[in-house]
Amino acid sequence: GQQVMQIPQYQHVQEGEDFTTYCNSSTTLSNIQWYKQRPGGHPVFLIQLVKSGEVKKQKRLTFQFGEAKKNSSLHITATQTTDVGTYFCAGPGYNFNKFYFGSGTKLNVKP
Amino acid sequence: SAVISQKPSRDICQRGTSLTIQCQVDSQVTMMFWYRQQPGQSLTLIATANQGSEATYESGFVIDKFPISRPNLTFSTLTVSNMSPEDSSIYLCSVEARRGTGELFFGEGSRLTVL
């Protein structure tokens, strides 16, 4: 399957601080998705990026897709305790109808 | 969107036994995906279940260990056969409700503990 690496593995921040997680692929991706999994929950879709250099925002969350379509990032501005969870990127398989998840970044926000 | 019901939500099983997990979707979907998530780990794709054909397994997963059924467009089962403690994990059923959106919907998961 597709190899999608994600860093960092863990991030502990104080509430109000910013947070960024990075996703890197050795091959060009046709698209990339981001998911959030709360503790004890299942992954929930956040967004899909398709275009080279694409930037999308959802309130305090900013998603970027690299120009070469090999990397992506999720940035959270002024974290809140509700942001706690694990953030996964996911990339398609070579036949584009499967989804392979990155290793995830676990975010902990201290109040 | 898609609403996915998975059963059982959790179970404790004895080594050497088999357990079948059921996944019911509230709409017709072409492909259903089965993932495994071991404690503290990411999601690993086990197989893709297509209606009317055999499931497609990922490297490291075989049909004898994880037989899958897909009798119609709204239902699938995954069986974990001859279980060992290493199979203790959360098993998740997933669908892409609208093809091409990349938006996967997940069931609540089935947490298996093998003693």
Side-chain angles (χ1 to χ4, degrees):
Chain A
Q2 188 67 274
Q3 285 280 4
V4 180
M5 308 303 294
Q6 210 173 331
I7 55 170
Q9 188 175 5
Y10 301 98
Q11 186 82 57
H12 302 273
V13 300
Q14 198 71 39
E15 189 171 25
E17 293 180 339
D18 292 355
F19 159 77
T20 305
T21 174
Y22 302 90
C23 197
N24 297 292
S25 170
S26 57
T27 59
T28 302
L29 300 169
S30 60
N31 54 70
I32 194 164
Q33 297 84 37
W34 285 92
Y35 290 81
K36 177 183 179 181
Q37 185 175 27
R38 293 180 186 273
H42 59 273
V44 174
F45 176 81
L46 295 176
I47 209 160
Q48 175 171 257
L49 304 172
V50 178
K51 299 177 184 176
S52 168
E54 188 170 16
V55 178
K56 287 188 176 180
K57 293 192 175 185
Q58 290 178 352
K59 298 182 180 178
R60 294 180 295 105
L61 277 61
T62 302
F63 304 85
Q64 289 189 319
F65 202 8
E67 293 291 340
K69 300 182 76 173
K70 288 186 175 182
N71 55 72
S72 180
S73 65
L74 159 59
H75 179 83
I76 303 178
T77 304
T79 55
Q80 300 174 0
T81 55
T82 53
D83 295 325
V84 165
T86 302
Y87 293 84
F88 293 100
C89 60
Y94 295 110
N95 58 3
F96 306 122
N97 60 2
K98 300 180 185 181
F99 302 89
Y100 298 97
F101 281 72
S103 48
T105 297
K106 187 173 182 178
L107 172 64
N108 187 38
V109 180
K110 292 176 286 187
Chain B
S1 67
V3 177
I4 303 173
S5 301
Q6 245 184 274
K7 292 193 294 187
S9 58
R10 59 177 64 229
D11 207 340
I12 299 174
C13 308
Q14 295 298 318
R15 182 195 297 259
T17 62
S18 299
L19 182 79
T20 295
I21 302 166
Q22 298 180 4
C23 179
Q24 179 75 52
V25 188
D26 68 343
S27 57
Q28 294 185 339
V29 291
T30 304
M31 289 188 293
M32 297 175 76
F33 306 98
W34 286 98
Y35 287 88
R36 181 174 72 184
Q37 187 173 30
Q38 295 178 310
Q41 302 297 312
S42 182
L43 286 78
T44 301
L45 181 63
I46 297 171
T48 303
N50 303 307
Q51 193 266 336
S53 63
E54 281 203 358
T56 306
Y57 289 84
E58 297 297 308
S59 176
F61 297 96
V62 294
I63 187 171
D64 289 347
K65 176 67 176 177
F66 298 100
I68 288 172
S69 79
R70 184 79 201 273
N72 57 53
L73 291 173
T74 63
F75 187 79
S76 178
T77 67
L78 169 74
T79 299
V80 186
S81 303
N82 188 25
M83 287 185 283
S84 66
E86 293 71 35
D87 294 319
S88 297
S89 188
I90 298 173
Y91 292 85
L92 293 146
C93 170
S94 175
V95 304
E96 185 187 23
R98 287 179 298 147
R99 191 79 181 268
T101 63
E103 183 174 0
L104 291 181
F105 291 89
F106 286 86
E108 295 295 327
S110 300
R111 182 185 293 270
L112 301 189
T113 302
V114 185
L115 303 178

